[in-house]
Amino acid sequence: MGIEEQGGQKTAGADKVAPATGKLGVMVVGLGAVATTFIAGVEAVRRGLAKPIGSLTQMGTIRLGKRTENKSPLIKDFVPLAGLNDLVFTGWDIFEDNVYESAAHAQVLEKEMLDQLKPYLETIKPLPAVFDQYYVKRLHGTHVKKGKNKRDLADQVIADIREFKKTVDRVVMIWCASTEIFIEPTAVHQSIAAFEKGLENDDIGIAPSQIYAYAALSEGVPFANGAPNLTVDAPAMVELSKKNAAPICGKDFKTGQTMMKTVLAPAFKARMLGVSGWFSTNILGNRDGEVLDDPESFKTKEESKLGSLDYIFQPELYPDLYKDLYHKIRINYYPPRGDQKEAWDNIDIFGWLGYPMQIKVNFLCRDSILAAPIALDLVLFMDLAKRAPSLRSIGIQEWLSFYLKSPQSAPGLYPEHDLFIQSMKLKNTLRHIMGAGLITHLGLEYYD
Ligand SMILES: NC(=O)c1ccc[n+]([C@@H]2O[C@H](COP(=O)([O-])OP(=O)(O)OC[C@H]3O[C@@H](n4cnc5c(N)ncnc54)[C@H](O)[C@@H]3O)[C@@H](O)[C@H]2O)c1
């Protein structure tokens, strides 16, 4: 049921969304560039030092009812989201640096800003991490948990969560740690029982990220995955998520180049323009870039970045336009640039009668500045999902695809990559849980 023809109609599935009372605990795995920019940014906004630019939950509006009604409240006034003043942070890292030290090392935020936030940021000290260099070759962790097997490590993370729960009212976990090597689900990932046996047996297929995810989901804590690891893209995790009403979403924050890709590609397709080649290259010099310099971690990122065009272009439906598309992605570690990535895209397109044309995109971006508001929105929306009866037990929160490079979707269902479809889906989900009419953009009623 939708608006534009059904002004103001309530949808059948109107939820009783629980209010966001009390403190929301945010457990961040990996306190590196993205995480510290996220945490420091929230604190800067709380103190009125800066605006939360890039955050839909803080700045976005949502249209309700007919276009003639002029009703567009802020999203945060329409759905019950945790307020920024109610966020409490903790996290894990393989290094002992507190959030101030780690942010200073990441060199994303200016010293002047960081120094103003220093007394607060210094109080957030990482808990020892679950880490094994086999899964992230370029890092040597020193601040790590020891355990007799992976079950023991999972229990230690569960203990961390329980301890934190004593100090807050609700908890969400988000993975902002390094990209692990490419691991596809095996037999051990097919059911909760098989996974738990694998924890006991130290199964090599279980990556550290999955130990954190298992701990979160076992405790009913939502888990969002900001990296391209297939952490919760496994039947066991989906089963656990549904069983414990702990929403999951992933994977890989959609920030720079892929965000542009998922804007441009739908435009070419909508206009039936062909694409014969898309070459994407990047230079970046932060720790993420160093980790991705390892071929096994790069493979995980490459898989995540490659999918979008195929799904958007649907070459099986449009062979004349996209069957021969050559898509190549390169990421080069280049220390002088630090977090200030530069991405180039060369796009070979063709139009009427097959005449070729070219488009060049040169995006000089700041990786963590783009990722931080996404981390914030995911945390707030995952907490909302946990409080919404029609979302909390469905497992994968596909409506959050908007934020993700390689969105997880139900088995057998292709993921939606088009940024504007994702945006519509997100907003309609919010309307749905609040019992407002969905918006279809049909609009014939204005011409009756
Ligand atoms: N910045 C972006 O635009 C962007 C976009 C999409 C995805 N990502 C992903 O987000 C993640 C974080 O990016 P970043 O730039 O902050 O990287 P980063 O290297 O600055 O931070 C990652 C942190 O995770 C820690 N870590 C690694 N393994 C860990 C473990 N097992 N447990 C706890 N901590 C661990 C590292 O010590 C480091 O401090 C990466 O996986 C990256 O690919 C970033």
Side-chain angles (χ1 to χ4, degrees):
M1 204 158 306
I3 289 186
E4 294 276 26
E5 74 272 47
Q6 299 279 353
Q9 282 264 354
K10 299 240 172 204
T11 56
D15 270 353
K16 281 246 172 306
V17 182
T21 32
K23 297 285 177 200
L24 173 62
V26 184
M27 303 195 90
V28 187
V29 191
L31 294 168
V34 171
T36 58
T37 308
F38 162 37
I39 297 170
V42 166
E43 181 62 6
V45 173
R46 290 201 278 224
R47 294 195 192 182
L49 300 174
K51 297 250 183 285
I53 313 245
S55 162
L56 186 69
T57 60
Q58 304 307 302
M59 306 200 81
T61 62
I62 183 162
R63 190 188 118 201
L64 303 174
K66 293 185 178 180
R67 258 182 282 166
T68 45
E69 289 175 38
N70 285 327
K71 211 161 84 189
S72 293
L74 284 170
I75 286 175
K76 64 179 179 177
D77 293 337
F78 175 61
V79 288
L81 295 177
L84 297 192
N85 286 328
D86 288 326
L87 300 189
V88 180
F89 293 98
T90 188
W92 296 267
D93 205 285
I94 64 171
F95 301 113
E96 272 182 76
D97 294 352
N98 63 45
V99 168
Y100 172 78
E101 290 163 335
S102 177
H105 177 264
Q107 291 185 321
V108 177
L109 300 178
E110 284 166 5
K111 191 170 176 322
E112 194 188 321
M113 165 73 83
L114 276 184
D115 284 346
Q116 291 185 71
L117 307 171
K118 187 173 176 183
Y120 169 72
L121 298 179
E122 277 180 335
T123 63
I124 308 168
K125 301 185 174 97
L127 298 156
V130 176
F131 182 74
D132 180 339
Q133 206 190 5
Y134 172 75
Y135 301 91
V136 185
K137 299 280 189 290
R138 294 286 154 100
L139 297 182
H140 306 265
T142 47
H143 188 53
V144 296
K145 294 188 193 304
K146 293 185 179 51
K148 69 176 188 320
N149 56 21
K150 291 182 176 176
R151 170 82 248 175
D152 186 6
L153 294 170
D155 287 341
Q156 292 181 44
V157 178
I158 288 173
D160 290 343
I161 297 171
R162 290 188 180 165
E163 204 47 41
F164 189 51
K165 272 183 173 171
K166 290 181 192 161
T167 65
V168 293
D169 298 274
R170 304 177 309 284
V171 176
V172 168
M173 192 185 292
I174 183 164
W175 176 273
C176 293
S178 310
T179 301
E180 296 173 328
I181 59 172
F182 188 64
I183 302 179
E184 283 183 297
T186 57
V188 78
H189 300 107
Q190 298 311 312
S191 66
I192 301 174
F195 190 87
E196 288 178 340
K197 210 160 153 223
L199 285 173
E200 298 285 350
N201 299 338
D202 266 339
D203 193 294
I204 196 163
I206 298 180
S209 63
Q210 290 175 320
I211 296 179
Y212 288 99
Y214 171 81
L217 302 180
S218 299
E219 288 295 296
V221 168
F223 182 93
N225 182 13
N229 329 312
L230 300 181
T231 305
V232 285
D233 291 55
M237 296 296 180
V238 176
E239 192 186 334
L240 196 55
S241 160
K242 289 182 175 172
K243 180 171 161 233
N244 294 338
I248 49 174
C249 75
K251 55 200 168 302
D252 210 1
F253 300 128
K254 176 153 90 172
T255 48
Q257 191 169 55
T258 307
M259 197 260 290
M260 296 302 292
K261 230 172 227 181
T262 62
V263 169
L264 291 173
F268 304 146
K269 187 172 124 187
R271 287 294 170 89
M272 292 289 105
L273 292 169
V275 182
S276 58
W278 198 314
F279 181 74
S280 304
T281 185
N282 301 268
I283 53 174
L284 82 162
N286 56 15
R287 193 181 282 152
D288 184 32
E290 191 179 351
V291 167
L292 294 175
D293 210 33
D294 169 60
E296 289 187 81
S297 285
F298 174 69
K299 165 89 177 137
T300 311
K301 193 58 131 185
E302 188 184 27
E303 288 286 324
S304 164
K305 282 177 87 105
L306 272 174
S308 58
L309 287 190
D310 238 22
Y311 286 115
I312 290 172
F313 285 140
Q314 298 178 292
E316 64 294 349
L317 289 184
Y318 305 101
D320 289 338
L321 302 176
Y322 308 117
K323 175 172 62 63
D324 298 323
L325 168 65
Y326 186 85
H327 186 197
K328 191 84 186 164
I329 295 166
R330 287 275 144 251
I331 300 178
N332 292 296
Y333 177 51
Y334 181 62
R337 282 297 172 89
D339 201 65
Q340 300 189 25
K341 179 152 89 180
E342 181 159 4
W344 292 267
D345 285 86
N346 170 74
I347 314 159
D348 283 291
I349 69 169
F350 54 94
W352 186 240
L353 314 179
Y355 279 74
M357 294 168 264
Q358 289 183 9
I359 297 173
K360 316 277 179 186
V361 181
N362 182 199
F363 193 177
L364 285 84
C365 68
R366 291 171 190 264
D367 241 13
S368 303
I369 292 293
L370 292 170
I374 293 184
L376 171 63
D377 284 0
L378 283 174
V379 160
L380 296 183
F381 280 143
M382 288 295 267
D383 170 52
L384 175 74
K386 172 83 186 176
R387 286 179 284 112
S390 64
L391 299 177
R392 73 163 70 110
S393 299
I394 61 169
I396 304 163
Q397 305 295 311
E398 202 201 329
W399 61 286
L400 296 175
S401 302
F402 178 65
Y403 295 107
L404 300 158
K405 244 196 286 283
S406 180
Q408 192 175 355
S409 51
L413 187 65
Y414 70 81
E416 198 54 80
H417 281 273
D418 177 328
L419 189 82
F420 297 104
I421 295 178
Q422 293 172 331
S423 156
M424 212 185 314
K425 193 179 182 62
L426 186 156
K427 289 191 173 181
N428 269 338
T429 305
L430 298 179
R431 294 181 185 108
H432 171 76
I433 63 170
M434 298 310 289
L438 308 186
I439 291 188
T440 64
H441 300 284
L442 180 63
L444 286 180
E445 73 271 31
Y446 304 120
Y447 299 91
D448 277 350

